[in-house]
Amino acid sequence: MSEAETIEETEEVTLAEADELRAQSRDCIHRHSVYAAVGGLVPIPFLEMATSSTIQLRMLAKLCDIYGVPFSENAIKNSVATLVATVFPVTGVGVATASLIRRIPVAGTVFGMVAMPTFAAASTYALGRVFSWHFARGGTACDFDSEEMKDRFKSEFAEGKRKASEFVKGGSSKTTSAKSTGSAATAKA
């Protein structure tokens, strides 16, 4: 086997491995985003946030496993807190306000059934995407720079919010199928 053939074969194997890692990462992020959305339905104030945080940590530990990165709970907790604070309105006031709104008959119930699961799923999605991107580029939990990732997180959060809203409202099945089919056709072309 010539050197050129060996290099070409190695590149094919590397691309196949990268595709497999992306697929595993995507599945992990999707699954945990759904778990977070369900956790956002917990009717007890502040418990839904604890549930979401636990689900997010579990997802990030799984992503570390997928990418072969050592998991550091303290480093990840600090990064997560910094990133989530960029999209959560004045953290303490936002949580208190959301909890009070949920107590209002009818309107509070609707808010709790849509807003909280959507926020939980969107933040989980964004965290997964940002950390996955970082790990795919050879980063670790300890060298993650949350200040540098704030803009990427906000962008992923907006995308996650859109996807979570569709999921929570039950309209994602047709849209997702059409987009997946279109993306697959484009990728093959």
Side-chain angles (χ1 to χ4, degrees):
M1 184 179 269
S2 74
E3 185 176 336
E5 291 173 335
T6 303
I7 290 172
E8 186 176 314
E9 186 176 299
T10 302
E11 288 174 356
E12 288 176 13
V13 169
T14 303
L15 287 175
E17 289 172 353
D19 287 343
E20 178 62 26
L21 287 176
R22 274 193 294 276
Q24 288 177 4
S25 172
R26 194 172 30 254
D27 291 345
C28 177
I29 293 166
H30 175 74
R31 183 174 53 255
H32 285 83
S33 295
V34 171
Y35 295 160
V38 172
L41 293 172
V42 173
I44 301 168
F46 302 105
L47 184 59
E48 74 272 354
M49 296 302 281
T51 302
S52 293
S53 297
T54 302
I55 291 166
Q56 291 166 350
L57 270 178
R58 178 77 175 136
M59 174 190 65
L60 295 173
K62 289 280 188 191
L63 288 173
C64 284
D65 288 345
I66 289 169
Y67 286 100
V69 173
F71 178 73
S72 171
E73 187 172 340
N74 289 335
I76 286 181
K77 279 183 177 180
N78 291 335
S79 297
V80 167
T82 301
L83 291 174
V84 171
T86 65
V87 295
F88 202 58
V90 192
T91 308
V93 174
V95 171
T97 303
S99 294
L100 289 174
I101 289 172
R102 289 180 79 171
R103 294 178 185 209
I104 299 170
V106 183
T109 303
V110 170
F111 173 79
M113 297 288 288
V114 176
M116 295 307 281
T118 300
F119 178 81
S123 61
T124 301
Y125 173 84
L127 286 169
R129 295 279 297 171
V130 168
F131 274 91
S132 179
W133 181 86
H134 177 69
F135 294 154
R137 278 148 188 76
T140 67
C142 293
D143 71 0
F144 185 87
D145 186 353
S146 53
E147 290 297 321
E148 195 175 287
M149 293 293 204
K150 281 183 177 180
D151 289 337
R152 178 177 286 274
F153 179 79
K154 286 178 185 177
S155 172
E156 294 291 354
F157 180 80
E159 176 65 13
K161 202 162 65 168
R162 184 190 63 74
K163 288 182 175 193
S165 293
E166 289 175 0
F167 176 78
V168 169
K169 292 175 184 173
S172 66
S173 59
K174 291 180 182 177
T175 308
T176 304
S177 298
K179 286 182 181 176
S180 297
T181 305
S183 297
T186 304
K188 289 180 182 177

